[in-house]
Amino acid sequence: EVHLVESGGGLVKPGGSLRLSCAASGFTFDNYAMHWVRQAPGKGLEWVSGIGWNSGGIDYADSVKGRFTISRDSVKNSLFLQMDSLRAADTAFYYCAKALTGDSSTLDSWGQGTLVTVSS
Amino acid sequence: SSELTQDPAVSVALGRTVRVTCQGDSLRTYYANWYQQKPGQAPVLVIYGKNDRPSGIPARLSGSSSGNTASLTITGAQADDEADYYCSSRDITGNHVVFGGGTKLTVL
């Protein structure tokens, strides 16, 4: 069974940084693309970033490009999101999601999310 | 604004059929994925590709597409179907993923 567990969320001041982690288990991590999707409280889903099975095909939403960096570690079976220059508008639950294939944008498994709050 | 457009809210009587739609130019090129999200829970993939359902998703949920519009149809809606439904696909460039604004489905 696929299991995705996010961590690293919390309260941070505007301009600050956070690094989110997603521990993956129950599947061959190296074979699948992975994505981050966020959801501000009471709002809809917003795709943040995706990374291909071989760390290629990295893409970012325009709203985070230049501030966020996605990466993955096949030894640790983990996905990461380095978030810098955080803004109040980045406040959201951040979900880690597994893709259907190595380069897909179809997200067939999701973690439970970690809350990031950007506030002074 | 989202490049995929959904009606904010739809209601259906118990046991009846309801269609949730999603419009966007990228849907002329890419299939839509549909996600179901219940309060306090993570989204769940319910329809992908032409009309595929992940294991465990009931057959009363189905997908279709025509032109720039994708549809999620629930035939014989159950109380358990009450949720927010989001469509997604690649954007028109193919580089990014986009989500619709979501449709809140109420089963009466």
Side-chain angles (χ1 to χ4, degrees):
Chain A
E1 181 187 358
V2 173
H3 203 45
L4 300 169
V5 180
E6 302 93 338
S7 60
L11 175 63
V12 61
K13 289 181 168 54
S17 297
L18 274 179
R19 189 185 194 219
L20 304 184
S21 300
C22 171
S25 61
F27 65 102
T28 304
F29 184 71
D30 287 352
N31 289 355
Y32 296 92
M34 298 293 294
H35 294 257
W36 288 99
V37 176
R38 68 184 181 184
Q39 185 172 37
K43 302 297 184 183
L45 301 174
E46 179 188 14
W47 175 78
V48 173
S49 181
I51 185 169
W53 64 277
N54 60 352
S55 294
I58 289 176
D59 294 304
Y60 299 96
D62 291 344
S63 58
V64 307
K65 196 165 188 176
R67 300 187 298 122
F68 290 11
T69 303
I70 191 172
S71 62
R72 61 191 297 163
D73 185 326
S74 61
V75 174
K76 296 180 179 178
N77 278 0
S78 293
L79 177 72
F80 304 101
L81 187 68
Q82 177 66 40
M83 304 187 297
D84 298 319
S85 303
L86 283 162
R87 308 165 179 167
D90 296 318
T91 294
F93 286 93
Y94 284 74
Y95 294 101
C96 159
K98 169 189 166 293
L100 200 59
T101 65
D103 60 358
S104 174
S105 60
T106 300
L107 309 179
D108 65 355
S109 296
W110 297 59
Q112 285 303 305
T114 187
L115 179 61
V116 172
T117 304
V118 184
S119 174
S120 55
Chain B
S1 64
S2 174
E3 296 176 39
L4 296 177
T5 302
Q6 298 182 241
D7 292 327
V10 171
S11 62
V12 60
L14 186 68
R16 302 303 294 263
T17 296
V18 63
R19 179 174 291 183
V20 179
T21 61
C22 174
Q23 288 189 304
D25 287 341
S26 64
L27 298 179
R28 297 184 186 277
T29 305
Y30 301 102
Y31 286 119
N33 302 306
W34 289 94
Y35 301 91
Q36 177 193 73
Q37 187 180 33
K38 297 180 179 178
Q41 298 183 20
V44 172
L45 178 68
V46 294
I47 295 289
Y48 66 97
K50 190 173 184 180
N51 181 20
D52 293 311
R53 279 176 286 107
S55 171
I57 302 302
R60 64 178 181 272
L61 276 66
S62 62
S64 61
S65 183
S66 178
N68 73 337
T69 301
S71 300
L72 169 69
T73 300
I74 304 176
T75 304
Q78 303 298 307
D80 189 53
D81 298 325
E82 188 162 286
D84 294 327
Y85 290 87
Y86 294 91
C87 61
S88 85
S89 81
R90 291 281 183 181
D91 71 357
I92 197 69
T93 70
N95 293 327
H96 293 177
V97 178
V98 290
F99 283 91
T103 297
K104 182 177 182 61
L105 176 67
T106 300
V107 179
L108 303 172

